[in-house]
mmCIF file of all heavy atoms in Angstrom:
data_model
loop_
_atom_site.group_PDB
_atom_site.id
_atom_site.type_symbol
_atom_site.label_atom_id
_atom_site.label_comp_id
_atom_site.label_asym_id
_atom_site.label_seq_id
_atom_site.Cartn_x
_atom_site.Cartn_y
_atom_site.Cartn_z
ATOM 1 N N GLN A 1 0.840 -1.206 -0.001
ATOM 2 C CA GLN A 1 0.000 0.008 -0.014
ATOM 3 C C GLN A 1 0.868 1.254 0.001
ATOM 4 O O GLN A 1 1.945 1.305 0.595
ATOM 5 C CB GLN A 1 -0.907 -0.013 1.241
ATOM 6 C CG GLN A 1 -1.757 1.247 1.409
ATOM 7 C CD GLN A 1 -2.571 1.202 2.656
ATOM 8 O OE1 GLN A 1 -2.840 0.153 3.225
ATOM 9 N NE2 GLN A 1 -2.961 2.395 3.152
ATOM 10 N N PHE A 2 0.374 2.276 -0.702
ATOM 11 C CA PHE A 2 1.029 3.575 -0.622
ATOM 12 C C PHE A 2 0.450 4.356 0.577
ATOM 13 O O PHE A 2 -0.782 4.409 0.747
ATOM 14 C CB PHE A 2 0.773 4.393 -1.900
ATOM 15 C CG PHE A 2 1.649 3.934 -3.062
ATOM 16 C CD1 PHE A 2 1.218 3.040 -3.947
ATOM 17 C CD2 PHE A 2 2.935 4.480 -3.213
ATOM 18 C CE1 PHE A 2 1.988 2.605 -5.025
ATOM 19 C CE2 PHE A 2 3.720 4.059 -4.247
ATOM 20 C CZ PHE A 2 3.264 3.150 -5.159
ATOM 21 N N VAL A 3 1.321 4.872 1.386
ATOM 22 C CA VAL A 3 0.901 5.614 2.582
ATOM 23 C C VAL A 3 1.386 7.034 2.516
ATOM 24 O O VAL A 3 2.351 7.348 1.832
ATOM 25 C CB VAL A 3 1.446 4.937 3.878
ATOM 26 C CG1 VAL A 3 0.817 3.570 4.041
ATOM 27 C CG2 VAL A 3 2.954 4.852 3.848
ATOM 28 N N LYS A 4 0.669 7.921 3.203
ATOM 29 C CA LYS A 4 1.076 9.328 3.303
ATOM 30 C C LYS A 4 1.912 9.526 4.582
ATOM 31 O O LYS A 4 1.841 8.737 5.498
ATOM 32 C CB LYS A 4 -0.168 10.214 3.343
ATOM 33 C CG LYS A 4 -1.042 10.140 2.125
ATOM 34 C CD LYS A 4 -2.256 10.999 2.267
ATOM 35 C CE LYS A 4 -3.169 10.921 1.022
ATOM 36 N NZ LYS A 4 -4.392 11.720 1.191
ATOM 37 N N ALA A 5 2.685 10.615 4.578
ATOM 38 C CA ALA A 5 3.456 10.922 5.749
ATOM 39 C C ALA A 5 2.530 11.135 6.965
ATOM 40 O O ALA A 5 1.545 11.887 6.871
ATOM 41 C CB ALA A 5 4.317 12.163 5.524
ATOM 42 N N GLY A 6 2.825 10.468 8.058
ATOM 43 C CA GLY A 6 2.013 10.603 9.271
ATOM 44 C C GLY A 6 0.824 9.655 9.365
ATOM 45 O O GLY A 6 0.094 9.647 10.381
ATOM 46 N N GLU A 7 0.606 8.871 8.353
ATOM 47 C CA GLU A 7 -0.535 7.916 8.364
ATOM 48 C C GLU A 7 -0.294 6.836 9.397
ATOM 49 O O GLU A 7 0.799 6.275 9.474
ATOM 50 C CB GLU A 7 -0.766 7.331 6.955
ATOM 51 C CG GLU A 7 -1.954 6.443 6.874
ATOM 52 C CD GLU A 7 -2.242 5.983 5.439
ATOM 53 O OE1 GLU A 7 -1.681 6.604 4.517
ATOM 54 O OE2 GLU A 7 -2.964 4.997 5.251
ATOM 55 N N LEU A 8 -1.370 6.490 10.160
ATOM 56 C CA LEU A 8 -1.255 5.442 11.192
ATOM 57 C C LEU A 8 -1.091 4.063 10.536
ATOM 58 O O LEU A 8 -1.890 3.703 9.681
ATOM 59 C CB LEU A 8 -2.493 5.461 12.071
ATOM 60 C CG LEU A 8 -2.490 4.498 13.253
ATOM 61 C CD1 LEU A 8 -1.364 4.836 14.189
ATOM 62 C CD2 LEU A 8 -3.837 4.556 13.966
ATOM 63 N N MET A 9 -0.056 3.352 10.979
ATOM 64 C CA MET A 9 0.225 2.038 10.374
ATOM 65 C C MET A 9 0.020 0.892 11.370
ATOM 66 O O MET A 9 -0.598 -0.137 11.028
ATOM 67 C CB MET A 9 1.690 2.016 9.880
ATOM 68 C CG MET A 9 1.977 3.060 8.794
ATOM 69 S SD MET A 9 3.692 3.035 8.242
ATOM 70 C CE MET A 9 3.829 1.424 7.530
ATOM 71 N N PHE A 10 0.523 1.029 12.608
ATOM 72 C CA PHE A 10 0.363 -0.017 13.610
ATOM 73 C C PHE A 10 -0.042 0.603 14.946
ATOM 74 O O PHE A 10 0.395 1.729 15.262
ATOM 75 C CB PHE A 10 1.704 -0.759 13.837
ATOM 76 C CG PHE A 10 2.208 -1.443 12.606
ATOM 77 C CD1 PHE A 10 3.125 -0.814 11.778
ATOM 78 C CD2 PHE A 10 1.830 -2.745 12.271
ATOM 79 C CE1 PHE A 10 3.618 -1.437 10.643
ATOM 80 C CE2 PHE A 10 2.334 -3.380 11.154
ATOM 81 C CZ PHE A 10 3.210 -2.713 10.319
ATOM 82 N N THR A 11 -0.853 -0.112 15.700
ATOM 83 C CA THR A 11 -1.213 0.311 17.041
ATOM 84 C C THR A 11 -0.810 -0.825 17.996
ATOM 85 O O THR A 11 -1.166 -1.958 17.776
ATOM 86 C CB THR A 11 -2.717 0.587 17.185
ATOM 87 O OG1 THR A 11 -3.073 1.629 16.309
ATOM 88 C CG2 THR A 11 -3.070 0.985 18.611
ATOM 89 N N LEU A 12 -0.041 -0.444 19.043
ATOM 90 C CA LEU A 12 0.393 -1.405 20.067
ATOM 91 C C LEU A 12 -0.555 -1.344 21.255
ATOM 92 O O LEU A 12 -1.329 -0.376 21.435
ATOM 93 C CB LEU A 12 1.830 -1.132 20.488
ATOM 94 C CG LEU A 12 2.868 -1.036 19.378
ATOM 95 C CD1 LEU A 12 4.254 -0.786 19.989
ATOM 96 C CD2 LEU A 12 2.883 -2.312 18.542
ATOM 97 N N ASP A 13 -0.455 -2.306 22.127
ATOM 98 C CA ASP A 13 -1.247 -2.325 23.377
ATOM 99 C C ASP A 13 -0.730 -1.166 24.238
ATOM 100 O O ASP A 13 0.407 -1.113 24.667
ATOM 101 C CB ASP A 13 -1.035 -3.663 24.085
ATOM 102 C CG ASP A 13 -1.906 -3.793 25.319
ATOM 103 O OD1 ASP A 13 -2.686 -2.857 25.590
ATOM 104 O OD2 ASP A 13 -1.782 -4.779 26.042
ATOM 105 N N ASP A 14 -1.641 -0.215 24.503
ATOM 106 C CA ASP A 14 -1.236 1.014 25.196
ATOM 107 C C ASP A 14 -1.911 1.162 26.580
ATOM 108 O O ASP A 14 -1.883 2.252 27.149
ATOM 109 C CB ASP A 14 -1.599 2.238 24.359
ATOM 110 C CG ASP A 14 -3.097 2.328 24.096
ATOM 111 O OD1 ASP A 14 -3.828 1.350 24.369
ATOM 112 O OD2 ASP A 14 -3.520 3.402 23.582
ATOM 113 N N ARG A 15 -2.482 0.087 27.127
ATOM 114 C CA ARG A 15 -3.172 0.203 28.427
ATOM 115 C C ARG A 15 -2.245 0.649 29.550
ATOM 116 O O ARG A 15 -2.547 1.553 30.317
ATOM 117 C CB ARG A 15 -3.851 -1.106 28.751
ATOM 118 C CG ARG A 15 -5.038 -1.458 27.849
ATOM 119 C CD ARG A 15 -5.565 -2.836 28.122
ATOM 120 N NE ARG A 15 -4.551 -3.862 27.812
ATOM 121 C CZ ARG A 15 -4.775 -5.166 28.032
ATOM 122 N NH1 ARG A 15 -5.890 -5.603 28.567
ATOM 123 N NH2 ARG A 15 -3.831 -6.069 27.662
ATOM 124 N N SER A 16 -1.087 0.035 29.633
ATOM 125 C CA SER A 16 -0.134 0.412 30.669
ATOM 126 C C SER A 16 0.328 1.848 30.523
ATOM 127 O O SER A 16 0.453 2.575 31.484
ATOM 128 C CB SER A 16 1.059 -0.572 30.658
ATOM 129 O OG SER A 16 2.046 -0.182 31.594
ATOM 130 N N ASP A 17 0.579 2.273 29.287
ATOM 131 C CA ASP A 17 1.059 3.628 29.046
ATOM 132 C C ASP A 17 -0.017 4.640 29.372
ATOM 133 O O ASP A 17 0.315 5.700 29.929
ATOM 134 C CB ASP A 17 1.508 3.777 27.605
ATOM 135 C CG ASP A 17 2.739 2.921 27.271
ATOM 136 O OD1 ASP A 17 3.846 3.288 27.693
ATOM 137 O OD2 ASP A 17 2.587 1.860 26.603
ATOM 138 N N ARG A 18 -1.256 4.332 29.057
ATOM 139 C CA ARG A 18 -2.348 5.276 29.396
ATOM 140 C C ARG A 18 -2.493 5.401 30.886
ATOM 141 O O ARG A 18 -2.780 6.484 31.440
ATOM 142 C CB ARG A 18 -3.618 4.836 28.726
ATOM 143 C CG ARG A 18 -3.695 5.161 27.251
ATOM 144 C CD ARG A 18 -5.073 4.932 26.627
ATOM 145 N NE ARG A 18 -5.393 3.534 26.499
ATOM 146 C CZ ARG A 18 -6.296 2.901 27.267
ATOM 147 N NH1 ARG A 18 -6.924 3.552 28.260
ATOM 148 N NH2 ARG A 18 -6.553 1.637 27.086
ATOM 149 N N ALA A 19 -2.321 4.297 31.621
ATOM 150 C CA ALA A 19 -2.408 4.331 33.094
ATOM 151 C C ALA A 19 -1.278 5.186 33.663
ATOM 152 O O ALA A 19 -1.500 5.987 34.608
ATOM 153 C CB ALA A 19 -2.334 2.912 33.649
ATOM 154 N N ASN A 20 -0.108 5.059 33.076
ATOM 155 C CA ASN A 20 1.019 5.883 33.581
ATOM 156 C C ASN A 20 0.758 7.372 33.339
ATOM 157 O O ASN A 20 1.126 8.232 34.126
ATOM 158 C CB ASN A 20 2.307 5.463 32.889
ATOM 159 C CG ASN A 20 2.760 4.074 33.326
ATOM 160 O OD1 ASN A 20 2.436 3.630 34.449
ATOM 161 N ND2 ASN A 20 3.536 3.382 32.470
ATOM 162 N N VAL A 21 0.158 7.696 32.173
ATOM 163 C CA VAL A 21 -0.145 9.087 31.886
ATOM 164 C C VAL A 21 -1.194 9.614 32.874
ATOM 165 O O VAL A 21 -1.058 10.767 33.386
ATOM 166 C CB VAL A 21 -0.667 9.200 30.449
ATOM 167 C CG1 VAL A 21 -1.239 10.632 30.175
ATOM 168 C CG2 VAL A 21 0.442 8.922 29.452
ATOM 169 N N ASP A 22 -2.214 8.802 33.200
ATOM 170 C CA ASP A 22 -3.219 9.228 34.164
ATOM 171 C C ASP A 22 -2.600 9.483 35.542
ATOM 172 O O ASP A 22 -2.921 10.436 36.240
ATOM 173 C CB ASP A 22 -4.336 8.170 34.266
ATOM 174 C CG ASP A 22 -5.143 8.090 32.972
ATOM 175 O OD1 ASP A 22 -5.086 9.035 32.175
ATOM 176 O OD2 ASP A 22 -5.821 7.048 32.762
ATOM 177 N N GLN A 23 -1.700 8.574 35.942
ATOM 178 C CA GLN A 23 -1.036 8.711 37.219
ATOM 179 C C GLN A 23 -0.193 10.011 37.269
ATOM 180 O O GLN A 23 -0.197 10.747 38.260
ATOM 181 C CB GLN A 23 -0.127 7.493 37.498
ATOM 182 C CG GLN A 23 0.539 7.536 38.853
ATOM 183 C CD GLN A 23 1.414 6.307 39.060
ATOM 184 O OE1 GLN A 23 1.573 5.468 38.158
ATOM 185 N NE2 GLN A 23 1.983 6.198 40.272
ATOM 186 N N ALA A 24 0.504 10.314 36.160
ATOM 187 C CA ALA A 24 1.334 11.545 36.110
ATOM 188 C C ALA A 24 0.430 12.755 36.136
ATOM 189 O O ALA A 24 0.799 13.769 36.797
ATOM 190 C CB ALA A 24 2.171 11.506 34.866
ATOM 191 N N GLN A 25 -0.692 12.725 35.517
ATOM 192 C CA GLN A 25 -1.612 13.869 35.528
ATOM 193 C C GLN A 25 -2.121 14.122 36.963
ATOM 194 O O GLN A 25 -2.257 15.282 37.381
ATOM 195 C CB GLN A 25 -2.773 13.622 34.563
ATOM 196 C CG GLN A 25 -2.380 13.784 33.112
ATOM 197 C CD GLN A 25 -3.538 13.469 32.172
ATOM 198 O OE1 GLN A 25 -4.457 12.724 32.538
ATOM 199 N NE2 GLN A 25 -3.485 13.998 30.964
ATOM 200 N N ALA A 26 -2.437 12.989 37.690
ATOM 201 C CA ALA A 26 -2.914 13.166 39.068
ATOM 202 C C ALA A 26 -1.830 13.753 39.961
ATOM 203 O O ALA A 26 -2.100 14.567 40.831
ATOM 204 C CB ALA A 26 -3.364 11.788 39.602
ATOM 205 N N GLN A 27 -0.597 13.347 39.749
ATOM 206 C CA GLN A 27 0.498 13.867 40.523
ATOM 207 C C GLN A 27 0.671 15.370 40.279
ATOM 208 O O GLN A 27 0.916 16.155 41.195
ATOM 209 C CB GLN A 27 1.774 13.116 40.171
ATOM 210 C CG GLN A 27 3.023 13.565 40.974
ATOM 211 C CD GLN A 27 2.880 13.225 42.463
ATOM 212 O OE1 GLN A 27 2.377 12.116 42.800
ATOM 213 N NE2 GLN A 27 3.300 14.084 43.342
ATOM 214 N N VAL A 28 0.547 15.786 39.038
ATOM 215 C CA VAL A 28 0.610 17.202 38.707
ATOM 216 C C VAL A 28 -0.489 17.980 39.416
ATOM 217 O O VAL A 28 -0.252 19.061 39.984
ATOM 218 C CB VAL A 28 0.553 17.409 37.169
ATOM 219 C CG1 VAL A 28 0.374 18.878 36.840
ATOM 220 C CG2 VAL A 28 1.798 16.865 36.534
ATOM 221 N N ALA A 29 -1.689 17.433 39.393
ATOM 222 C CA ALA A 29 -2.799 18.131 40.057
ATOM 223 C C ALA A 29 -2.593 18.233 41.564
ATOM 224 O O ALA A 29 -2.839 19.299 42.137
ATOM 225 C CB ALA A 29 -4.103 17.354 39.796
ATOM 226 N N ARG A 30 -2.046 17.189 42.178
ATOM 227 C CA ARG A 30 -1.778 17.233 43.632
ATOM 228 C C ARG A 30 -0.733 18.274 43.960
ATOM 229 O O ARG A 30 -0.862 19.069 44.897
ATOM 230 C CB ARG A 30 -1.368 15.852 44.123
ATOM 231 C CG ARG A 30 -1.193 15.750 45.629
ATOM 232 C CD ARG A 30 -0.819 14.351 46.032
ATOM 233 N NE ARG A 30 0.512 14.015 45.537
ATOM 234 C CZ ARG A 30 1.078 12.778 45.765
ATOM 235 N NH1 ARG A 30 0.422 11.856 46.434
ATOM 236 N NH2 ARG A 30 2.282 12.540 45.268
ATOM 237 N N ASP A 31 0.335 18.313 43.185
ATOM 238 C CA ASP A 31 1.433 19.234 43.448
ATOM 239 C C ASP A 31 0.958 20.695 43.195
ATOM 240 O O ASP A 31 1.393 21.614 43.905
ATOM 241 C CB ASP A 31 2.617 18.886 42.564
ATOM 242 C CG ASP A 31 3.280 17.574 42.959
ATOM 243 O OD1 ASP A 31 3.051 17.102 44.104
ATOM 244 O OD2 ASP A 31 4.003 17.017 42.107
ATOM 245 N N GLN A 32 0.104 20.862 42.197
ATOM 246 C CA GLN A 32 -0.375 22.212 41.934
ATOM 247 C C GLN A 32 -1.283 22.684 43.091
ATOM 248 O O GLN A 32 -1.283 23.882 43.458
ATOM 249 C CB GLN A 32 -1.154 22.231 40.601
ATOM 250 C CG GLN A 32 -0.255 22.163 39.381
ATOM 251 C CD GLN A 32 -1.048 22.104 38.087
ATOM 252 O OE1 GLN A 32 -2.242 21.707 38.097
ATOM 253 N NE2 GLN A 32 -0.389 22.470 37.000
ATOM 254 N N ALA A 33 -2.071 21.742 43.686
ATOM 255 C CA ALA A 33 -2.901 22.125 44.824
ATOM 256 C C ALA A 33 -2.064 22.515 46.028
ATOM 257 O O ALA A 33 -2.349 23.510 46.720
ATOM 258 C CB ALA A 33 -3.864 20.974 45.151
ATOM 259 N N ALA A 34 -0.981 21.739 46.257
ATOM 260 C CA ALA A 34 -0.098 22.054 47.391
ATOM 261 C C ALA A 34 0.570 23.380 47.173
ATOM 262 O O ALA A 34 0.741 24.181 48.135
ATOM 263 C CB ALA A 34 0.931 20.947 47.539
ATOM 264 N N LEU A 35 0.977 23.680 45.937
ATOM 265 C CA LEU A 35 1.566 24.962 45.624
ATOM 266 C C LEU A 35 0.589 26.116 45.881
ATOM 267 O O LEU A 35 0.970 27.139 46.461
ATOM 268 C CB LEU A 35 2.084 24.997 44.177
ATOM 269 C CG LEU A 35 2.590 26.333 43.670
ATOM 270 C CD1 LEU A 35 3.816 26.757 44.462
ATOM 271 C CD2 LEU A 35 2.927 26.203 42.183
ATOM 272 N N ALA A 36 -0.650 25.927 45.472
ATOM 273 C CA ALA A 36 -1.645 26.987 45.674
ATOM 274 C C ALA A 36 -1.868 27.275 47.171
ATOM 275 O O ALA A 36 -1.992 28.458 47.575
ATOM 276 C CB ALA A 36 -2.948 26.599 44.991
ATOM 277 N N ASP A 37 -1.881 26.200 47.960
ATOM 278 C CA ASP A 37 -2.053 26.395 49.402
ATOM 279 C C ASP A 37 -0.896 27.149 50.002
ATOM 280 O O ASP A 37 -1.056 28.087 50.822
ATOM 281 C CB ASP A 37 -2.204 25.071 50.076
ATOM 282 C CG ASP A 37 -2.430 25.165 51.588
ATOM 283 O OD1 ASP A 37 -3.397 25.844 51.999
ATOM 284 O OD2 ASP A 37 -1.587 24.615 52.353
ATOM 285 N N LEU A 38 0.335 26.784 49.631
ATOM 286 C CA LEU A 38 1.509 27.492 50.153
ATOM 287 C C LEU A 38 1.556 28.942 49.703
ATOM 288 O O LEU A 38 1.994 29.841 50.437
ATOM 289 C CB LEU A 38 2.785 26.766 49.730
ATOM 290 C CG LEU A 38 3.025 25.425 50.416
ATOM 291 C CD1 LEU A 38 4.184 24.677 49.736
ATOM 292 C CD2 LEU A 38 3.319 25.636 51.886
ATOM 293 N N GLU A 39 1.109 29.205 48.473
ATOM 294 C CA GLU A 39 1.102 30.600 48.011
ATOM 295 C C GLU A 39 0.110 31.438 48.833
ATOM 296 O O GLU A 39 0.399 32.612 49.115
ATOM 297 C CB GLU A 39 0.742 30.635 46.522
ATOM 298 C CG GLU A 39 1.880 30.159 45.618
ATOM 299 C CD GLU A 39 1.474 30.113 44.165
ATOM 300 O OE1 GLU A 39 0.250 30.065 43.890
ATOM 301 O OE2 GLU A 39 2.368 30.089 43.283
ATOM 302 N N ARG A 40 -1.026 30.846 49.179
ATOM 303 C CA ARG A 40 -2.002 31.572 50.035
ATOM 304 C C ARG A 40 -1.418 31.861 51.424
ATOM 305 O O ARG A 40 -1.579 32.953 51.981
ATOM 306 C CB ARG A 40 -3.276 30.787 50.116
ATOM 307 C CG ARG A 40 -4.135 30.798 48.873
ATOM 308 C CD ARG A 40 -5.534 30.242 49.150
ATOM 309 N NE ARG A 40 -5.477 28.826 49.560
ATOM 310 C CZ ARG A 40 -5.540 27.805 48.748
ATOM 311 N NH1 ARG A 40 -5.640 28.034 47.415
ATOM 312 N NH2 ARG A 40 -5.480 26.538 49.178
ATOM 313 N N GLN A 41 -0.724 30.823 52.006
ATOM 314 C CA GLN A 41 -0.116 30.995 53.293
ATOM 315 C C GLN A 41 0.959 32.092 53.274
ATOM 316 O O GLN A 41 1.069 32.927 54.192
ATOM 317 C CB GLN A 41 0.505 29.676 53.798
ATOM 318 C CG GLN A 41 -0.532 28.617 54.143
ATOM 319 C CD GLN A 41 0.132 27.365 54.661
ATOM 320 O OE1 GLN A 41 1.235 27.434 55.298
ATOM 321 N NE2 GLN A 41 -0.502 26.203 54.438
ATOM 322 N N HIS A 42 1.733 32.089 52.154
ATOM 323 C CA HIS A 42 2.786 33.122 52.040
ATOM 324 C C HIS A 42 2.172 34.518 51.915
ATOM 325 O O HIS A 42 2.693 35.471 52.502
ATOM 326 C CB HIS A 42 3.651 32.808 50.808
ATOM 327 C CG HIS A 42 4.751 33.816 50.620
ATOM 328 N ND1 HIS A 42 4.630 34.829 49.712
ATOM 329 C CD2 HIS A 42 5.957 33.951 51.222
ATOM 330 C CE1 HIS A 42 5.706 35.571 49.749
ATOM 331 N NE2 HIS A 42 6.558 35.053 50.653
ATOM 332 N N LYS A 43 1.050 34.621 51.234
ATOM 333 C CA LYS A 43 0.413 35.927 51.116
ATOM 334 C C LYS A 43 -0.098 36.448 52.459
ATOM 335 O O LYS A 43 0.094 37.619 52.811
ATOM 336 C CB LYS A 43 -0.736 35.804 50.110
ATOM 337 C CG LYS A 43 -1.436 37.115 49.870
ATOM 338 C CD LYS A 43 -2.557 36.949 48.841
ATOM 339 C CE LYS A 43 -3.246 38.284 48.584
ATOM 340 N NZ LYS A 43 -4.373 38.155 47.643
ATOM 341 N N ARG A 44 -0.727 35.514 53.275
ATOM 342 C CA ARG A 44 -1.210 35.941 54.597
ATOM 343 C C ARG A 44 -0.028 36.324 55.512
ATOM 344 O O ARG A 44 -0.103 37.294 56.276
ATOM 345 C CB ARG A 44 -2.024 34.824 55.219
ATOM 346 C CG ARG A 44 -3.448 34.687 54.618
ATOM 347 C CD ARG A 44 -4.326 33.829 55.510
ATOM 348 N NE ARG A 44 -3.781 32.480 55.693
ATOM 349 C CZ ARG A 44 -4.080 31.435 54.938
ATOM 350 N NH1 ARG A 44 -4.906 31.613 53.894
ATOM 351 N NH2 ARG A 44 -3.559 30.260 55.160
#
């Protein structure tokens, strides 16, 4: 088959990788919340 640049050819099992991405996003959210609390304390 002739394919174009960027055309999807193969998909691998990505369940573990998606879980790792979700975990990293949760960690970012937790750290951002802690930072917001400390910024408020510093302001007071």
Side-chain angles (χ1 to χ4, degrees):
Q1 176 183 338
F2 282 94
V3 294
K4 299 178 181 179
E7 183 175 344
L8 184 62
M9 299 179 64
F10 300 93
T11 299
L12 306 182
D13 185 3
D14 62 348
R15 290 173 296 177
S16 176
D17 294 285
R18 282 191 288 108
N20 291 334
V21 170
D22 292 341
Q23 183 180 4
Q25 286 177 337
Q27 183 66 40
V28 169
R30 186 178 65 181
D31 293 340
Q32 286 177 339
L35 173 63
D37 181 58
L38 288 170
E39 287 177 339
R40 286 192 297 269
Q41 292 182 29
H42 180 262
K43 182 178 180 181
R44 285 196 300 268

